[in-house]
Structures are given as C-alpha cells and as structure tokens.
Amino acid sequence: LSVVERKDVLRNLLIDMNSILGTNVSTDIDFFYEQYGSRGQYSSLSNRVRINEYILTKDTSYELTQTIIHEMRHAYQHHSVKNDKSVLVSSQTIREWENNFNNYKNPSFGCTFEEYLSQPVEWDAKNFAMQFADIMGINPEYEGSWS
C-alpha cells in the first residue's frame, strides 16, 4: 500500500478500536516525522494519537497495526483511570496505572529502555496489542528462511 493508503487503514483501525474499547479518541491522527524515535504516542491532553510517518514506509503492516492498537490501549488506560466505575478493570490495576502515569519513565528523560518497557502501562499496552492481533488473526509477516 502507498503511504496515503496506509494512513487510511490506520485511521479506520483507530475508529474500530474506539468502538471496541469505548474510548472517544480523535480520529484525526497526527503524523510527525522522525527518522529515529518512537513509532507513536497517545496524548491524554489532546486525546489524540500521533504516528511517526517515517515508519509508514519502513515497518510492516503488522508493526503498524500493533502501534495503533498499543496507543489505543493507552487511551483506554487513561479512560479507565478517569472513569473507574464504568470499566471492567480492577481498582488495583487502575491505581497502578494512575501511579504509573503520575511517575512515567521516558527514555528521552534519562531512564533506560528496560525501565520504560517494564512500566505497568507499557507492559499492558504491549501485551494487549499482541493478544488482540492474535485473536483477530493479524500475524507478523515471515521474513527469513531456515535454509
């Protein structure tokens, strides 16, 4: 797919994820360009997802799908913290997420990549994206050979 077509696919997936997760994230994805940096971000302040346009030409469709699902899970985490009585998440998990958001470790500000990945919200979003993709039959493309 072209970059424009990939953007459309990501917007449609975001719309579907809004419906599935009960979130209300803006369907206007903010695209930015960084050759080195994150694939994407969710901002609770603007209630928007940002996607690195650089990955639209470099990453596989599986990685792009994972990125949107991952960022939408962050939207759901924030939604759950704000609406703790209307979600099916334990109060303990909501407290962990809220504490993590208040003490978020960002590799851009001095933490290690391992510290970043081991945070409850990152661990949850990464695993949710992998499980959701698996359930939906979205599989990574095979790149390699045993021979």
Side-chain angles (χ1 to χ4, degrees):
L1 298 175
S2 71
V3 169
V4 171
E5 290 169 324
R6 285 176 170 227
K7 286 181 178 182
D8 287 340
V9 168
L10 292 179
R11 279 188 194 96
N12 288 331
L13 179 56
L14 187 147
I15 291 166
D16 290 345
M17 293 304 298
N18 259 336
S19 178
I20 291 166
L21 295 171
T23 53
N24 192 26
V25 174
S26 171
T27 57
D28 294 323
I29 298 173
D30 292 331
F31 290 95
F32 65 99
Y33 188 92
E34 289 179 0
Q35 191 168 357
Y36 304 102
S38 70
R39 286 185 175 141
Q41 302 156 350
Y42 167 73
S43 168
S44 61
L45 297 175
S46 65
N47 197 33
R48 294 174 79 100
V49 169
R50 298 182 71 224
I51 296 294
N52 187 347
E53 197 163 344
Y54 177 75
I55 69 170
L56 294 177
T57 60
K58 302 296 179 195
D59 286 4
T60 66
S61 57
Y62 177 77
E63 292 164 320
L64 295 171
T65 301
Q66 289 281 306
T67 300
I68 285 289
I69 296 169
H70 178 101
E71 298 310 329
M72 288 301 293
R73 182 61 175 193
H74 285 317
Y76 179 76
Q77 293 164 342
H78 281 278
H79 171 80
S80 297
V81 167
K82 293 177 188 171
N83 302 285
D84 63 330
K85 303 294 186 227
S86 65
V87 293
L88 298 174
V89 179
S90 74
S91 57
Q92 178 183 350
T93 298
I94 289 174
R95 281 192 306 274
E96 287 176 3
W97 289 348
E98 184 173 28
N99 183 52
N100 192 178
F101 289 136
N102 291 332
N103 300 287
Y104 190 77
K105 295 176 183 166
N106 187 328
S108 300
F109 298 108
C111 79
T112 67
F113 195 64
E114 289 76 24
E115 289 173 317
Y116 161 76
L117 285 178
S118 66
Q119 296 178 98
V121 294
E122 292 302 333
W123 187 92
D124 174 74
K126 180 178 183 251
N127 285 290
F128 176 82
M130 288 188 317
Q131 291 174 4
F132 186 86
D134 188 45
I135 289 168
M136 298 304 293
I138 304 167
N139 300 308
E141 296 170 9
Y142 178 69
E143 296 177 9
S145 172
W146 289 103
S147 55

